[in-house]
Amino acid sequence: NMGKKKKRKVNKKSPVAKVNIQELMESRDGGQIALRGYSYQFLYSCNLILSSDADTVFTLEGIEDVDSVKYSDGSKTITHIQLKYSTQRQDASFMDSVLKNYLEAYLIDKNRYFKLVYDFSVAAGNLRKLFSRNLDNTSREFWKTKIDTIKKETSFWNWSNFDFEDFIQRLSFENVEKNSLEKSIEESLIKSFGINTDNISLFANGIKLLCFDKMESHGEISHHDITQYIEE
């Protein structure tokens, strides 16, 4: 009967027992992957605060990994920064959860800005076009459709005056390599505080602990706090 579709045989691999403890340990790498992401976030936060000016206050682990509030002439600019580290190449599907997070905040307050700081290689196509702020008609439609899918899942959010163009121009993207951050923190300490190189790791570690405490408590922190901490 031509109408009946043939069932395709799917070769399911049967699970194989781990041969030794080393192999078992290598298979349980979830914690390690999570820690790499945390240490990237952590080093970036320390570096950002050290290199900021007096007019900016940061909240670590706020709405996003880092919330930055810059005060200028009586007004403030709020930017939510999300950090992503991966050893895998990423494509457009990577942005699903990121966009959803950004949209939830944007629909509550449309005056905010959003930044993705990343360390991974970017596949050619819609993601690269978004990151380089170079959307053609095809990729613009692609991202509109992606947001429409999020909209269907979150119909209870207030989408009444959502503006795609406004939202997209509030996004920015920056590639920062994790292995450059440690060095950058030390250079900032030498430049701003004149700490000599023999003691630098003591001060760098002290600042990292300060940032870690702030991450745990959703605490606010500024360049001034770090200055005070170093002077003490």
Side-chain angles (χ1 to χ4, degrees):
N1 184 351
M2 295 296 283
K4 277 186 183 172
K5 283 184 180 172
K6 279 185 181 174
K7 276 188 179 175
R8 281 218 314 248
K9 276 186 182 174
V10 179
N11 288 331
K12 279 190 178 172
K13 279 189 177 176
S14 28
V16 182
K18 304 284 182 287
V19 181
N20 55 38
I21 288 293
Q22 182 63 33
E23 200 178 311
L24 178 63
M25 188 164 82
E26 282 166 11
S27 74
R28 297 190 180 176
D29 61 353
Q32 206 178 13
I33 290 165
L35 281 169
R36 280 186 202 136
Y38 277 126
S39 73
Y40 180 58
Q41 174 185 337
F42 175 56
L43 290 170
Y44 176 84
S45 303
C46 291
N47 188 55
L48 180 67
I49 299 157
L50 268 174
S51 55
S52 69
D53 54 37
D55 304 323
T56 312
V57 175
F58 302 93
T59 303
L60 305 185
E61 286 292 346
I63 300 282
E64 283 296 350
D65 298 327
V66 183
D67 296 336
S68 152
V69 183
K70 189 173 176 61
Y71 294 90
S72 163
D73 306 326
S75 68
K76 58 182 183 179
T77 306
I78 301 172
T79 307
H80 298 292
I81 306 168
Q82 198 173 133
L83 291 129
K84 293 288 183 190
Y85 174 84
S86 178
T87 53
Q88 310 294 314
R89 179 186 289 264
Q90 301 295 336
D91 62 17
S93 64
F94 160 83
M95 281 300 288
D96 292 354
S97 62
V98 178
L99 282 174
K100 193 172 178 180
N101 274 11
Y102 288 172
L103 283 160
E104 187 171 17
Y106 173 77
L107 293 172
I108 293 169
D109 177 359
K110 295 192 175 60
N111 296 311
R112 291 162 186 246
Y113 292 86
F114 303 90
K115 184 172 187 175
L116 179 72
V117 177
Y118 65 95
D119 183 359
F120 52 74
S121 64
V122 181
N126 291 311
L127 188 63
R128 192 175 291 176
K129 285 175 184 169
L130 180 68
F131 280 13
S132 60
R133 303 181 70 89
N134 188 20
L135 294 181
D136 52 28
N137 288 338
T138 317
S139 49
R140 181 173 263 98
E141 283 312 308
F142 172 87
W143 291 109
K144 275 184 178 169
T145 306
K146 201 173 257 308
I147 289 174
D148 281 341
T149 307
I150 295 171
K151 191 174 176 179
K152 286 190 185 88
E153 295 166 5
T154 58
S155 53
F156 53 95
W157 289 357
N158 180 11
W159 291 87
S160 56
N161 42 10
F162 173 68
D163 180 340
F164 175 82
E165 294 303 332
D166 179 64
F167 174 68
I168 286 293
Q169 64 92 20
R170 288 173 176 277
L171 307 184
S172 60
F173 305 91
E174 187 185 2
N175 178 218
V176 177
E177 288 183 9
K178 185 181 174 191
N179 58 18
S180 71
L181 289 169
E182 201 88 55
K183 190 165 177 276
S184 188
I185 288 169
E186 295 188 353
E187 283 171 357
S188 287
L189 284 170
I190 291 165
K191 197 177 90 183
S192 304
F193 301 100
I195 294 163
N196 68 44
T197 47
D198 296 344
N199 295 333
I200 198 74
S201 61
L202 291 172
F203 284 92
N205 290 340
I207 282 169
K208 286 176 200 166
L209 278 174
L210 176 66
C211 288
F212 189 76
D213 286 344
K214 296 290 180 184
M215 282 167 81
E216 211 174 23
S217 63
H218 299 286
E220 284 191 348
I221 184 169
S222 65
H223 192 276
H224 171 74
D225 298 323
I226 282 185
T227 306
Q228 209 176 353
Y229 188 75
I230 286 172
E231 283 167 358
E232 283 168 6

